[in-house]
Amino acid sequence: MAGKVGLANTDDIPDLVEIFWEAFSGPGEIVFPHTDAGRKWLQRSFNNFLGQKSYYRPESKIAIVRNLNSRPVALAIVHVVRPGQNITGEAWKTRWARCEDIPGVSEDQLAEFFEPLARAQYLVVGKEGHVFIELVMTKSTSRGRGYASALMEWATKLADSLDIPCYLDAGIRGMGICDRCGFKAQDIEMRYGGQPPCTPMLRSRKQ
C-alpha cells in the first residue's frame, strides 16, 4: 500500500542511494560524492544497516515508504542504541561503512560530518539507551504527502515500545515535524562550546 511505512530490504538499495544523493546534493557532495566510489560506499553502508545484528553496534533499521510502483520514495535510518553503547568519536564507523579501500571517499570528510553530531548527541543522552533517528529524507517528487511524518511516527512508536527516549539532530526545515512528534530542543550550547551543527532534539520516554 502506498504511504504505508515498512522496512527496506537489500533489493531497495539502488533506490535508497538515489534518495540519499538527492538529499545531499550540492554542498553535501563534498562529504558524500556522487561518483562510482560514493555509490560503492553507500551501498556498503546500506548493506551494513540491513545486515545481521552485532553486539558492537546499534541495531539499525531502514524504514521506508513506497509509491504505487512499490519503489521507495522516503526513508528513515534509525538505530536502537543500547545502554552504555559508545556513540562518540569514531563510533559512526560501526554503523556506516569504512572507506579506506575506496579511493575518492574521504574518511576525514565523513568524520567532520558525523563526529560533531555525535558529540552533541552524547551531551544530551549520555550512555542512556535510546532510539536514534539519524536521517529522514523524501524524494522531491514525493514531498508534501506526510511521508516524513509517518516515518517519524514509526520511529517514536518503536521508542515507546522499548520504553526509551528518542533522539535526533534537526535542521531548520524539520523543526515543525519534530515539534508535532513531541521532540523538544535541547540547549547544550554552553557545554558544547558553541552552537552545534544541528539542533539536538529529544523526545522523552513515554510516561
Side-chain angles (χ1 to χ4, degrees):
M1 180 187 299
K4 182 179 179 181
V5 176
L7 292 176
N9 58 62
T10 54
D11 291 336
D12 295 316
I13 289 177
D15 286 318
L16 302 182
V17 170
E18 295 304 321
I19 296 170
F20 190 100
W21 271 359
E22 185 182 17
F24 284 99
S25 60
E29 295 177 42
I30 297 173
V31 182
F32 307 108
H34 295 193
T35 61
D36 288 342
R39 183 184 299 275
K40 181 178 180 180
W41 179 79
L42 273 177
Q43 289 173 334
R44 187 182 292 179
S45 294
F46 283 123
N47 269 306
N48 276 0
F49 298 143
L50 298 172
Q52 293 182 341
K53 298 178 184 179
S54 169
Y55 175 81
Y56 300 101
R57 65 173 185 257
E59 179 186 350
S60 300
K61 302 176 184 291
I62 302 179
I64 58 171
V65 176
R66 299 181 185 275
N67 63 13
L68 291 172
N69 296 319
S70 296
R71 301 279 295 274
V73 292
L75 70 89
I77 300 174
V78 178
H79 312 283
V80 179
V81 182
R82 295 187 299 273
Q85 199 161 41
N86 181 32
I87 57 173
T88 59
E90 296 186 346
W92 62 271
K93 295 180 182 178
T94 66
R95 304 190 307 275
W96 298 81
R98 303 183 75 90
C99 61
E100 295 94 333
D101 63 333
I102 308 179
V105 178
S106 169
E107 183 173 319
D108 289 340
Q109 292 285 353
L110 290 168
E112 287 180 17
F113 177 84
F114 288 115
E115 292 179 16
L117 295 170
R119 182 164 171 258
Q121 181 182 359
Y122 183 77
L123 288 173
V124 174
V125 296
K127 296 183 178 181
E128 184 178 7
H130 61 284
V131 166
F132 172 31
I133 306 175
E134 188 160 20
L135 291 168
V136 178
M137 49 191 69
T138 304
K139 289 191 70 171
S140 58
T141 53
S142 297
R143 290 174 187 159
R145 304 179 187 181
Y147 294 165
S149 295
L151 290 165
M152 292 276 285
E153 183 180 357
W154 179 91
T156 55
K157 284 183 177 179
L158 174 63
D160 288 345
S161 72
L162 298 171
D163 194 28
I164 54 179
C166 195
Y167 175 88
L168 58 81
D169 301 289
I172 294 174
R173 289 190 303 177
M175 294 295 289
I177 295 176
C178 293
D179 289 340
R180 291 193 295 274
C181 290
F183 287 85
K184 303 296 182 185
Q186 305 298 299
D187 184 3
I188 62 168
E189 191 167 331
M190 185 173 296
R191 290 182 294 150
Y192 191 86
Q195 187 173 355
C198 293
T199 302
M201 307 282 287
L202 185 69
R203 182 179 182 273
S204 299
R205 294 169 57 184
K206 187 175 182 180
Q207 301 298 317

